[in-house]
Amino acid sequence: TELDRSIQGGELFFTVVLNPNPCDDKRHRDIWSKEKACDRLPKFLVVGPQKTGTTALYLFLVMHPSIISNLPNPRTFEEMQFFNGNNYHKGVDWYMEYFSVPSNVTTDFLFEKSANYFHSEEAPKRAAALVPKAKIITILIDPSDRAYSWYQILPLKCLSPCPVSTGVTGHSTPARLTGMILKHQRAHQDSVALKFSFYEVITAGHQAPSDLRSLQKKCLVPGWYAVHIERWLQHFPPSQVLIVDGQQLRTDPANVMDEVQRFLGVSPHYNYSEALTFDSHKGFWCQLLEEGKTKCLGKSKGRKYPAMDSECRTFLSIYYRDHNVELSKLLHRLGQPLPSWLRQELQNIR
Ligand code: A3P
């Protein structure tokens, strides 16, 4: 493990810079106890970004008999969040503990999904140091829709008194929305989100209060798709990176899952056309269980909320224009097809 030394308040501190794979070094392998199987590491990572359908992909993946996710981590909403944050400093042993020993190393595919890896500065470098052969799956939807979904509130109940928009831009939060809990942000301790309308968040200028600016960054920066994918490509060859169209995952998951299976090289081939069914009540594709029952994602996924207003849509289209152009160049370079939402956005530019 590569360590960084620093002196703070007269005390010497060590921080982990990079955790390489200990199994790559014979000296480590020789002294490891028998419980420490070198195979308790993921063969692939679903890296996000958030709100693009990562949980649906996760649910579909674990339906496959050879695909096994990590054990849930209760502290991070079931995600490992290892490569992007402080968990990284807990070391490789800690990470491996969350993976079961594969019964068949060749055919079992361990994986983890942490949706915040996508835009993390550190995650690609750290992942490449520990699991350089791992495949990387990212899912993209229109970044404007992603930002809006990220902001969305869960229509559960009204807090009293209901939070109100500051209204400085004249774009007050719709009444139905203001009174509701911002579950997603609330879960992440961003009570500040309660105060601002979506328009206020996306249009906040340099003079805006720091809490609003910070919220804006979290909302918009993951949508700089090309910037983040380029960072992953600095550490992983294009053949190890799959870019999934999240819009297609939503409407035609069986075909997307076929593509994912081919990319992973997993066997046996699992027939998602038979295993998934469209649940008209949920309005999404779900796992088909016995006797025609379905297992869908929970209430916080696939929520119903008003469509984005045209002013926000136009603002975000312009905001993301250059990023989308860069993404189209990147996909051309990789020989990958452009998702329909991207083609649409590029047409709007002309
Ligand atoms: P909304 O809740 O805004 O509609 P993530 O899991 O990455 O947080 O993404 C959540 C989004 O996944 C949902 O956003 C929803 O649009 C999308 N999604 C795609 N397929 C889905 C499915 N089968 N069930 C539920 N949500 C799905």
Side-chain angles (χ1 to χ4, degrees):
T1 297
E2 204 180 301
L3 296 170
D4 215 12
R5 276 191 323 173
S6 63
I7 295 177
Q8 290 162 29
E11 287 191 60
L12 183 59
F13 282 89
F14 289 96
T15 27
V16 176
V17 179
L18 221 50
N19 283 309
N21 188 338
C23 300
D24 289 343
D25 188 328
K26 186 178 178 312
R27 290 168 305 173
H28 283 136
R29 280 200 310 270
D30 290 347
I31 57 171
W32 264 28
S33 76
K34 288 215 167 52
E35 290 91 72
K36 289 182 191 269
C38 286
D39 310 309
R40 287 176 80 177
L41 283 170
K43 275 192 189 164
F44 71 98
L45 303 171
V46 176
V47 297
Q50 271 184 324
K51 309 318 297 173
T52 56
T54 57
T55 319
L57 180 63
Y58 176 93
L59 171 73
F60 302 157
L61 283 166
V62 294
M63 288 165 61
H64 193 291
S66 308
I67 297 181
I68 304 148
S69 81
N70 61 283
L71 308 165
N73 179 345
R75 287 174 147 251
T76 48
F77 303 94
E78 306 208 336
E79 294 188 347
M80 293 299 302
Q81 305 211 4
F82 177 68
F83 295 112
N84 62 321
N86 286 337
N87 285 338
Y88 189 70
H89 303 290
K90 295 177 178 160
V92 180
D93 266 358
W94 179 87
Y95 187 55
M96 283 183 171
E97 285 290 311
Y98 280 93
F99 293 95
S100 47
V101 180
S103 53
N104 183 329
V105 176
T106 321
T107 55
D108 282 2
F109 277 64
L110 303 183
F111 85 105
E112 62 128 334
K113 181 271 277 191
S114 291
N116 283 328
Y117 286 168
F118 179 73
H119 64 280
S120 152
E121 291 280 338
E122 293 90 10
K125 184 174 59 184
R126 289 173 170 180
L130 185 61
V131 284
K133 299 269 164 57
K135 292 190 173 172
I136 306 298
I137 301 182
T138 172
I139 314 173
L140 306 182
I141 58 170
D142 183 327
S144 307
D145 292 327
R146 199 212 72 83
Y148 191 53
S149 167
W150 185 88
Y151 173 85
Q152 276 317 309
I153 55 182
L154 188 74
L156 273 180
K157 55 185 169 187
C158 181
L159 285 179
S160 186
C162 291
V164 287
S165 160
T166 57
V168 282
T169 60
H171 283 253
S172 58
T173 312
R176 264 176 61 214
L177 302 186
T178 43
M180 299 167 185
I181 300 171
L182 273 164
K183 196 229 175 193
H184 190 78
Q185 280 82 359
R186 183 196 56 180
H188 294 80
Q189 307 299 307
D190 279 334
S191 58
V192 62
L194 292 163
K195 293 192 294 196
F196 303 109
S197 72
F198 184 56
Y199 190 82
E200 286 163 354
V201 171
I202 61 178
T203 58
H206 292 288
Q207 310 300 326
S210 62
D211 52 0
L212 179 54
R213 292 283 291 164
S214 144
L215 196 66
Q216 180 187 51
K217 199 172 154 203
K218 288 185 203 164
C219 181
L220 298 182
V221 170
W224 303 356
Y225 293 152
V227 170
H228 305 306
I229 295 172
E230 290 289 6
R231 199 184 306 110
W232 283 95
L233 290 171
Q234 279 170 20
H235 299 277
F236 289 87
S239 59
Q240 274 173 243
V241 177
L242 179 69
I243 300 167
V244 169
D245 177 356
Q247 186 58 38
Q248 197 194 351
L249 179 72
R250 191 173 160 156
T251 54
D252 179 19
N255 271 319
V256 170
M257 293 313 291
D258 280 350
E259 186 192 352
V260 170
Q261 291 186 80
R262 274 195 303 276
F263 168 71
L264 293 174
V266 67
S267 63
H269 177 266
Y270 188 74
N271 189 344
Y272 282 95
S273 305
E274 283 175 3
L276 297 176
T277 186
F278 187 80
D279 183 311
S280 50
H281 180 68
K282 174 81 179 169
F284 283 91
W285 286 83
C286 301
Q287 182 177 3
L288 180 61
L289 303 176
E290 278 166 24
E291 294 167 9
K293 289 190 184 137
T294 54
K295 180 179 169 189
C296 301
L297 297 185
K299 275 190 185 149
S300 64
K301 307 289 172 183
R303 299 154 299 170
K304 292 188 173 53
Y305 42 80
M308 195 187 322
D309 71 47
S310 60
E311 228 160 322
C312 291
R313 171 79 59 196
T314 306
F315 179 89
L316 286 175
S317 245
I318 296 167
Y319 175 88
Y320 281 123
R321 186 166 54 196
D322 292 348
H323 291 289
N324 284 336
V325 169
E326 287 308 311
L327 176 65
S328 69
K329 289 185 197 159
L330 172 66
L331 291 172
H332 269 301
R333 202 175 84 217
L334 299 179
Q336 296 210 19
L338 301 193
S340 52
W341 58 262
L342 182 56
R343 262 184 270 128
Q344 185 70 51
E345 278 299 309
L346 296 175
Q347 260 168 20
N348 293 346
I349 293 169
R350 280 189 218 126

